[in-house]
Amino acid sequence: MTKDRAEADTVAYEIENRIAWVKFNRPEKRNCMSPKLNRQMMRVLDELEFRDDVGVLVLTGEGTAWTAGMDLKEYFRETEAEGLGAVRRSQRESYGWWRRLRWYQKPTIAMVNGWCFGGGYGPLFSCDLAFCADEAQFGLSEINWGILPGGGATKIAVELLNFRNAMYHAMMGENVDGKTAAQWGLVNESLPADKLKARVTEVASVLLEKNPVALKATKDAIRRVGEMTYDNAEDYLVRAQEAANSFDNDGRKEGIKQFIDEKSYKPGLGAYDKSKQKTTKKAKA
């Protein structure tokens, strides 16, 4: 019988070249999300969010799974046995860090190395970008044990998939592989497993070259404007740009100067040189 991991050991991370590699760390349980893991993930997100040595966060899994969803024993059976208060607490803990990840200060990438089931769609959607192994398996298996895809999974299926694929995926309970997940829009790209980390590192390295204030404003805008009318989105984006300028007006001016005056770069071909920009503490990422 496998000994339960200490709460602090349910999530692992390392920082390399300003990329924080955060791992679900319950490989013996296919990285199922337990109340312990959910609490520890919030602590890890708190610790990394405003560190100067972190510019991008990558979320992946230890072993053969990304996450197989919610731990049926610890998250459901044991908390339900404690009553409604325990159920609501466990929901706040899981939904809380997913929400935190959706609006995270730094760009986030899901690197789906294996199984991604059910509740795993919560953090999958929370990450800004997603890449997976061709061998990965995605599934909304809730229908197979008698419930609907909860925890936002149904909403996420509708957000990321077209209507017919969302309905089929949720009603049939069948798994799809990484290539199908990419075709359906669950992830950006699917790659052979041995090329996955290199591709994610490449994408993260590109993000590290961008203006961090602009990245945060862009992340938020993409999530916000989808539910707005055009006129409301137009107004929101004007205000968002003005707010971003208040945090880092030097960055915007530096980019324009390098393009117009110095002719040292072209916006369509890459980012401006941030090393020439005056920096302040609040503009760092």
Side-chain angles (χ1 to χ4, degrees):
M1 183 175 178
T2 304
K3 185 179 178 181
D4 287 343
R5 287 178 179 267
E7 188 163 311
D9 295 331
T10 58
V11 179
Y13 74 85
E14 59 182 358
I15 300 169
E16 184 178 355
N17 298 323
R18 302 189 65 236
I19 302 171
W21 299 89
V22 178
K23 289 186 177 182
F24 296 108
N25 195 37
R26 300 183 75 209
E28 69 281 358
K29 297 288 187 179
R30 298 292 190 268
N31 295 325
C32 282
M33 291 176 283
S34 65
K36 288 181 179 179
L37 182 147
N38 291 328
R39 289 191 292 267
Q40 184 60 20
M41 190 64 81
M42 184 66 88
R43 295 188 190 103
V44 169
L45 294 180
D46 284 344
E47 181 173 341
L48 297 174
E49 187 165 20
F50 293 99
R51 284 179 55 156
D52 289 340
D53 61 342
V54 173
V56 176
L57 185 147
V58 176
L59 181 59
T60 188
E62 184 64 53
T64 60
W66 196 63
T67 175
M70 310 313 291
D71 189 308
L72 299 189
K73 177 175 178 288
E74 296 183 34
Y75 185 84
F76 288 104
R77 177 181 285 177
E78 292 181 359
T79 55
E80 288 170 6
E82 295 178 27
L84 182 60
V87 170
R88 291 290 182 256
R89 182 177 64 249
S90 67
Q91 290 169 339
R92 286 194 301 270
E93 289 168 347
S94 58
Y95 304 167
W97 79 260
W98 301 348
R99 187 179 304 112
R100 180 68 176 278
L101 193 59
R102 283 201 302 277
W103 305 106
Y104 209 58
Q105 186 70 24
K106 310 294 174 64
T108 58
I109 303 173
M111 186 173 81
V112 183
N113 52 303
W115 293 3
C116 177
F117 293 157
Y121 283 36
L124 177 68
F125 179 67
S126 294
C127 289
D128 304 318
L129 302 174
F131 298 81
C132 75
D134 292 340
E135 300 86 346
Q137 293 289 309
F138 295 79
L140 293 178
S141 58
E142 285 87 345
I143 194 68
N144 295 334
W145 50 285
I147 70 168
L148 62 81
T154 300
K155 170 63 172 172
I156 291 159
V158 173
E159 285 287 318
L160 297 181
L161 310 179
N162 66 39
F163 175 81
R164 291 300 178 196
N165 285 340
M167 194 68 82
Y168 187 94
H169 198 44
M171 292 180 66
M172 295 295 287
E174 297 176 355
N175 297 340
V176 298
D177 62 14
K179 291 181 179 180
T180 302
Q183 292 170 0
W184 281 7
L186 280 169
V187 298
N188 293 97
E189 296 176 24
S190 180
L191 305 100
D194 61 353
K195 292 180 169 49
L196 179 60
K197 186 172 183 179
R199 175 59 176 148
V200 169
T201 302
E202 178 185 32
V203 171
S205 297
V206 171
L207 292 174
L208 287 171
E209 295 299 315
K210 309 297 184 188
N211 180 295
V213 173
L215 276 176
K216 171 59 174 165
T218 300
K219 281 160 44 84
D220 290 355
I222 292 294
R223 290 193 185 272
R224 294 288 188 196
V225 300
E227 62 187 23
M228 296 179 185
T229 64
Y230 185 91
D231 286 343
N232 287 342
E234 187 178 75
D235 185 66
Y236 166 82
L237 293 168
V238 168
R239 308 306 169 202
Q241 182 62 65
E242 290 171 348
N245 291 349
S246 74
F247 279 100
D248 184 30
N249 204 26
D250 289 337
R252 181 175 64 96
K253 290 179 178 177
E254 180 63 31
I256 292 173
K257 183 182 76 171
Q258 290 179 25
F259 174 59
I260 296 177
D261 302 327
E262 300 177 1
K263 296 182 171 43
S264 58
Y265 96 112
K266 296 180 180 179
L269 301 179
Y272 73 90
D273 185 353
K274 290 189 300 179
S275 68
K276 296 181 179 180
Q277 177 185 335
K278 298 176 183 178
T279 59
T280 62
K281 184 69 176 177
K282 62 184 177 183
K284 288 184 178 180

